[in-house]
């Protein structure tokens, strides 16, 4: 069996729904379990509706119109959808009268997005003769703690999913069983209240189902060609990475590449279930597969990413050389101010690190650090990261710096990540795009030399 997850933009309107229904048809023999997000921006719109209700206004027009228009265009029965929309209106009216909302009722409110989308999609599949059944995720076993808005699934979820979907998953090709279409993002707590799994949580729903049922693979369908060698807005000729490891994807996700959140990959990482990122506009392309470790030979450089707008903090100890406890003290202060650090490089008496430029605590942080160190703060920097096999770091660094030196680009700090899959460099924000393009050309361009130079798989 496989799990097929479609995000909000893949179900944004009737046309998109028709399109992905055909994709599901293609994979019908693979016994898919389908997981959906809310249509388009519905989750955001529901949060917005909650805000409006708190100010006494019931604003539901956009959400209602989108769902009713879709029902009409797809020519499916409207009762299920109308009933949910009425329930939603009642809820918003209640909030608007009380002018009060709890985390629990907010989860109940945003759950309508996914609950509506699965009803619509499943009804549509049935009208085109693909037997299907919508499922609110709790009906197949999704049970969580009561940490509303960001709930954690309870371990028994896995076992219950096997009980509820096991026979579908292991069934025979033409046994006529209905394809389950499951709400992403949602669960129920032990008290029976709806919870949500955090923004982007539908991916987690998909990987939990995939891991429970030991799926052949979990497919997450996007509008781009899987994982790319660089952000296509920076490097238009970026192409897809056929195979990446969970570690590499975690680094990419951190740098804002639109892949999967590391949290949502964990269930499949534990069972070794492959996750495949596919392009709904390019169905036959293999996309990118995420695996626990490389077994085939792959080029040493996988992707180049950048994170703009960071601030570089240089901290030089004013105490004696060789004194212990310097780093401990530095990080203690960062922890006390709750400032998260991205990239770090150290020497005996100094440490350089980057923080997000929006960090508000910077001046108080500086004051505390200044008690035992000289502090220089440099703004408008960017991190450029090479996701690569760091066992080849000497070669990669030599090649990288040769290119950058030739173009007179100065790198202000460099750090090789402990995850063994990344080398990060700090440059001026204004130069970041150029650096990414130069390196992409060097490692992936037509005259690249490194691509032919493959490295073995095992770590
Ligand atoms: N609809 C939810 C969100 O927008 C969950 C998801 O899309 O994964 O965050
Ligand atoms: Mg969404």
């Amino acid at each position: 069996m496989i799990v097929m997850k479609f995000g909000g933009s893949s179900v944004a309107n009737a046309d998109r729904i028709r399109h992905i229904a055909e994709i599901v048809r293609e994979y019908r023999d693979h016994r898919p379990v389908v997981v959906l997000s809310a249509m388009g921006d519905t989750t955001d719109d529901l949060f917005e509706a909650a805000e409006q209700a708190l100010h006494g206004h019931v604003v539901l027009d956009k959400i209602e119109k989108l769902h009713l228009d879709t029902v009409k265009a797809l020519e499916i029965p409207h009762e299920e959808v109308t009933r949910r929309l009425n329930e939603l209106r009642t809820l918003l009216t209640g909030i608007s009268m009380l002018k009060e909302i709890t985390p629990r009722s907010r989860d109940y409110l945003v759950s309508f997005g996914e609950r509506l989308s699965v009803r619509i999609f499943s009804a549509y599949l049935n009208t085109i003769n693909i037997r299907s059944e919508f499922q609110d995720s709790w009906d197949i076993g999704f049970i969580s703690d009561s940490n509303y808005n960001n709930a954690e699934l309870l371990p028994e979820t896995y076992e219950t999913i096997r009980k509820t979907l096991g026979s579908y998953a292991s069934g025979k090709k033409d046994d006529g069983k209905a394809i389950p279409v499951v709400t992403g993002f949602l669960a129920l707590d032990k008290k029976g209240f709806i919870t949500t799994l955090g923004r982007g949580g539908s991916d987690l729903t998909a990987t939990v189902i995939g891991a429970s049922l030991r799926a052949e693979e979990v497919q997450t369908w996007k509008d781009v060609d899987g994982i790319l060698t660089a952000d296509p807005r920076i490097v238009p000729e970026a192409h897809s990475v056929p195979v990446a490891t969970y570690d590499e994807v975690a680094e990419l996700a951190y740098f804002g590449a639109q892949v999967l959140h590391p949290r949502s990959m964990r269930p499949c990482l534990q069972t070794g279930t492959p996750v495949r990122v596919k392009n709904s506009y390019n169905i036959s392309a293999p996309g990118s597969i995420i695996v626990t470790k490389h077994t085939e030979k792959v080029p040493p450089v996988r992707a180049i990413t950048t994170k703009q707008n960071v601030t570089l903090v240089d901290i030089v100890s004013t105490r004696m050389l060789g004194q212990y406890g310097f780093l401990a003290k530095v990080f203690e202060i960062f922890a006390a101010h709750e400032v998260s650090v991205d990239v770090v490089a150290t020497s005996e008496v100094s440490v350089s690190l980057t923080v997000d430029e929006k960090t508000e605590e910077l001046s108080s942080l500086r004051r505390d650090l200044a008690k035992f160190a000289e502090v220089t703060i440099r703004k408008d920097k960017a991190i450029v990261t090479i996701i690569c096999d760091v066992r080849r770091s000497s070669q990669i660094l030599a090649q990288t710096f040769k290119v950058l030196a030739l173009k007179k680009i100065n790198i202000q700090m460099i750090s090789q990540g402990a995850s063994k899959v990344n080398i990060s460099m700090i440059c001026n924000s204004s130069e970041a795009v150029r650096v990414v393009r130069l390196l992409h050309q060097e490692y992936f361009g037509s005259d690249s030399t490194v691509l032919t130079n493959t490295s073995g798989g095992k770590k």
Side-chain angles (χ1 to χ4, degrees):
M1 62 86 54
I2 59 169
V3 179
M4 304 177 80
K5 182 258 166 176
F6 297 94
S9 71
S10 297
V11 288
N13 55 43
D15 276 345
R16 298 292 285 132
I17 288 175
R18 285 193 199 96
H19 180 69
I20 67 156
E22 289 313 315
I23 300 180
V24 172
R25 195 200 293 279
E26 295 259 316
Y27 283 91
R28 178 148 60 161
D29 291 345
H30 294 263
R31 305 200 75 78
V33 172
V34 176
V35 173
L36 299 185
S37 294
M39 289 180 71
D41 297 328
T42 300
T43 305
D44 290 327
D45 296 339
L46 285 164
F47 277 114
E48 177 58 27
E51 260 336 282
Q52 294 286 343
L54 276 174
H55 292 93
H57 314 296
V58 177
V59 183
L60 196 57
D61 303 358
K62 186 180 166 204
I63 295 171
E64 250 169 11
K65 184 172 181 336
L66 172 68
H67 291 86
L68 292 175
D69 283 356
T70 306
V71 164
K72 205 156 153 219
L74 295 175
E75 299 179 47
I76 54 174
H78 70 87
E79 288 76 9
E80 270 292 339
V81 171
T82 313
R83 195 175 317 135
R84 295 296 149 195
L85 287 171
N86 288 341
E87 192 184 335
L88 176 57
R89 181 171 286 278
T90 308
L91 175 63
L92 282 173
T93 309
I95 297 169
S96 73
M97 288 163 79
L98 295 169
K99 299 202 171 58
E100 188 177 80
I101 189 166
T102 61
R104 188 174 92 193
S105 44
R106 200 186 294 272
D107 272 2
Y108 175 38
L109 179 79
V110 294
S111 76
F112 280 91
E114 272 71 11
R115 291 198 286 152
L116 284 162
S117 69
V118 296
R119 281 158 174 80
I120 290 175
F121 188 63
S122 167
Y124 179 65
L125 286 180
N126 283 315
T127 66
I128 58 167
N129 291 322
I130 301 173
R131 261 202 79 212
S132 141
E133 217 167 53
F134 69 81
Q135 300 282 1
D136 290 321
S137 65
W138 46 85
D139 288 331
I140 61 161
F142 278 79
I143 184 143
S144 74
D145 61 16
S146 301
N147 186 15
Y148 302 106
N149 304 342
N150 203 9
E152 207 59 69
L153 291 170
L154 300 183
E156 58 255 47
T157 298
Y158 291 81
E159 189 50 45
T160 321
I161 292 172
R162 274 194 286 280
K163 282 195 191 118
T164 52
L165 290 185
S167 80
Y168 167 77
S170 59
K172 299 244 155 25
K173 197 167 135 189
D174 290 316
D175 62 6
K177 285 211 173 119
I179 295 176
V181 177
V182 183
T183 54
F185 182 50
L186 309 178
L188 218 55
D189 68 7
K190 288 243 159 142
K191 293 176 257 175
F193 294 111
I194 295 177
T195 60
T196 60
L197 308 176
R199 293 308 303 266
S202 300
D203 285 333
L204 181 66
T205 310
T207 54
V208 166
I209 296 174
S212 304
L213 300 173
R214 297 290 196 273
E216 282 158 56
E217 65 182 32
V218 173
Q219 302 174 340
T220 69
W221 290 81
K222 313 249 170 198
D223 303 337
V224 292
D225 261 326
I227 300 166
L228 298 176
T229 48
D231 183 337
R233 286 166 302 186
I234 298 179
V235 184
E237 65 276 17
H239 56 81
S240 84
V241 179
V243 188
T245 64
Y246 289 97
D247 294 344
E248 290 162 359
V249 174
E251 291 293 337
L252 279 167
Y254 166 74
F255 288 102
Q258 257 209 11
V259 205
L260 273 84
H261 192 278
R263 180 170 96 123
S264 58
M265 293 188 293
R266 211 174 300 141
C268 285
L269 175 61
Q270 275 158 5
T271 51
T273 308
V275 174
R276 196 183 284 278
V277 186
K278 298 261 300 172
N279 183 355
S280 64
Y281 288 111
N282 188 6
I283 304 175
S284 56
S288 304
I289 193 152
I290 307 169
V291 296
T292 37
K293 61 179 177 198
H294 288 293
T295 51
E296 307 276 309
K297 280 179 183 287
V298 289
V301 175
R302 249 71 94 190
I304 319 275
T305 62
T306 181
K307 185 180 180 196
Q308 303 259 16
N309 306 322
V310 300
T311 295
L312 183 59
V313 185
D314 289 321
I315 304 157
V316 182
S317 172
T318 46
R319 304 279 158 83
M320 273 180 328
L321 198 69
Q323 235 200 10
Y324 54 82
F326 170 62
L327 284 180
K329 232 158 50 191
V330 168
F331 285 109
E332 218 169 80
I333 289 171
F334 275 82
H337 289 269
E338 294 180 13
V339 172
S340 132
V341 171
D342 292 336
V343 182
V344 186
T346 68
S347 78
E348 179 74 23
V349 289
S350 75
V351 50
S352 298
L353 39 81
T354 66
V355 298
D356 196 279
E357 76 166 1
K358 289 201 262 331
T359 306
E360 282 160 13
E361 301 79 359
L362 218 53
S363 52
S364 55
L365 190 86
R366 174 188 223 147
R367 207 178 326 111
D368 283 354
L369 290 168
K371 289 175 189 154
F372 62 93
E374 259 166 40
V375 184
T376 319
I377 290 176
R378 292 184 276 166
K379 294 199 177 259
D380 297 322
K381 302 295 168 194
I383 307 171
V384 173
T385 295
I386 306 176
I387 310 282
C388 62
D389 179 352
V390 300
R391 289 171 309 169
R392 304 284 290 276
S393 62
S394 309
Q395 183 201 344
I396 294 165
L397 285 171
Q399 193 164 351
T400 297
F401 281 94
K402 199 172 121 208
V403 177
L404 299 180
L406 215 62
K407 303 288 176 186
K408 302 204 166 31
I409 292 172
N410 210 15
I411 294 301
Q412 292 150 38
M413 170 182 150
I414 169 163
S415 157
Q416 189 168 307
S419 64
K420 303 199 183 61
V421 298
N422 79 76
I423 294 172
S424 289
M425 300 169 296
I426 311 301
C427 64
N428 289 334
S429 244
S430 57
E431 283 173 332
V433 164
R434 201 162 151 240
V435 172
V436 172
R437 286 187 183 146
L438 280 169
L439 295 182
H440 194 274
Q441 179 60 33
E442 178 68 16
Y443 292 112
F444 302 103
S446 48
D447 49 357
S448 160
T449 49
V450 117
L451 264 180
T452 52
N453 226 341
T454 55
S455 71
K458 286 178 204 73
K459 270 197 180 155

